[in-house]
Amino acid sequence: MTAKRVLDLMIGSALLVLAAPALAAGALALAVKRPPGGVLERRTLTGLHGRAFELRSLRTRGLRLDVLSRLPHVVRGDLSLVGPTPLAPGDLGAMGAGTGHWRRELRPGLTGLAQVRARSGMPWDEPDLLDQHYAEHRGTVLDLVILAESVHRPLRAALRGLARRGKAHLSDTDHRLPGYSVAE
């Protein structure tokens, strides 16, 4: 068992225990809504050594419970906490001449370098380069940095949203002294 797998088991299990109440509430809320296709979304993806596995996740997007609902796949070993983007069987990214070799050697990740840099305005084909860069430079320190960034960005965005809602929206004239005129 590698240090990466131990890290996946320890952090993945702890996160799964902490997220279980939110996941149960999300699943219950979805069940009440009765979405077409059910509560879980199912996709077949390629994992370690090119083995296909069925990824199951909650059909929520706004609360990002869909990502947390994939934690059982991390504990089971289908996914790693950090790794290259999971691909569907037959996806060209998994079948490329140079790409397939390193992709087959790594578990796909719940998050990864390509995911944390996704909103940086890069062209559509650069995530593959970021995944390859991760594969070439992977290590515990890089994994911890990517995990921290994966938590930091959404948390910062959520806090910004709360701050905006809490601020009074004043116009330019709301704070002027009585009798003030633009012509002065």
Side-chain angles (χ1 to χ4, degrees), residues 17 19 51 87 121 164:
V17 168
R51 292 188 196 114
L87 298 176
R164 280 189 202 120

Side-chain angles (χ1 to χ4, degrees), residues 77-90:
D78 298 330
L79 292 173
S80 180
L81 286 171
V82 179
T85 308
L87 298 176

Side-chain angles (χ1 to χ4, degrees), residues 12-23:
S13 297
L15 288 173
L16 185 57
V17 168
L18 292 172
L23 293 172

Side-chain angles (χ1 to χ4, degrees), residues 1-144:
M1 188 176 289
T2 65
K4 182 173 181 64
R5 183 68 187 128
V6 170
L7 190 68
D8 283 347
L9 283 170
M10 288 177 27
I11 295 175
S13 297
L15 288 173
L16 185 57
V17 168
L18 292 172
L23 293 172
L28 183 61
L30 283 171
V32 168
K33 283 184 171 182
R34 299 184 193 269
V39 171
L40 295 176
E41 177 183 358
R42 301 170 197 277
R43 293 187 300 159
T44 302
L45 298 174
T46 303
L48 185 64
H49 305 300
R51 292 188 196 114
F53 69 96
E54 184 179 66
L55 179 75
R56 292 178 296 277
S57 57
L58 287 176
R59 292 184 181 270
T60 64
R61 292 289 184 247
L63 298 175
R64 302 304 301 166
L65 289 179
D66 57 325
V67 174
L68 292 175
S69 70
R70 297 174 190 158
L71 285 169
H73 292 284
V74 172
V75 174
R76 192 172 31 244
D78 298 330
L79 292 173
S80 180
L81 286 171
V82 179
T85 308
L87 298 176
D91 190 317
L92 294 177
M95 299 179 69
T99 309
H101 177 69
W102 60 263
R103 274 202 183 271
R104 294 176 64 84
E105 294 175 0
L106 298 174
R107 279 185 181 87
L110 191 63
T111 189
L113 191 57
Q115 289 92 332
V116 297
R117 299 289 180 234
R119 292 182 178 88
S120 66
M122 62 187 155
W124 67 271
D125 59 344
E126 280 195 49
D128 288 336
L129 295 174
L130 289 168
D131 281 341
Q132 186 170 359
H133 178 82
Y134 171 80
E136 293 168 355
H137 300 92
R138 67 186 182 264
T140 305
V141 172
L142 181 58
D143 283 1
L144 292 173

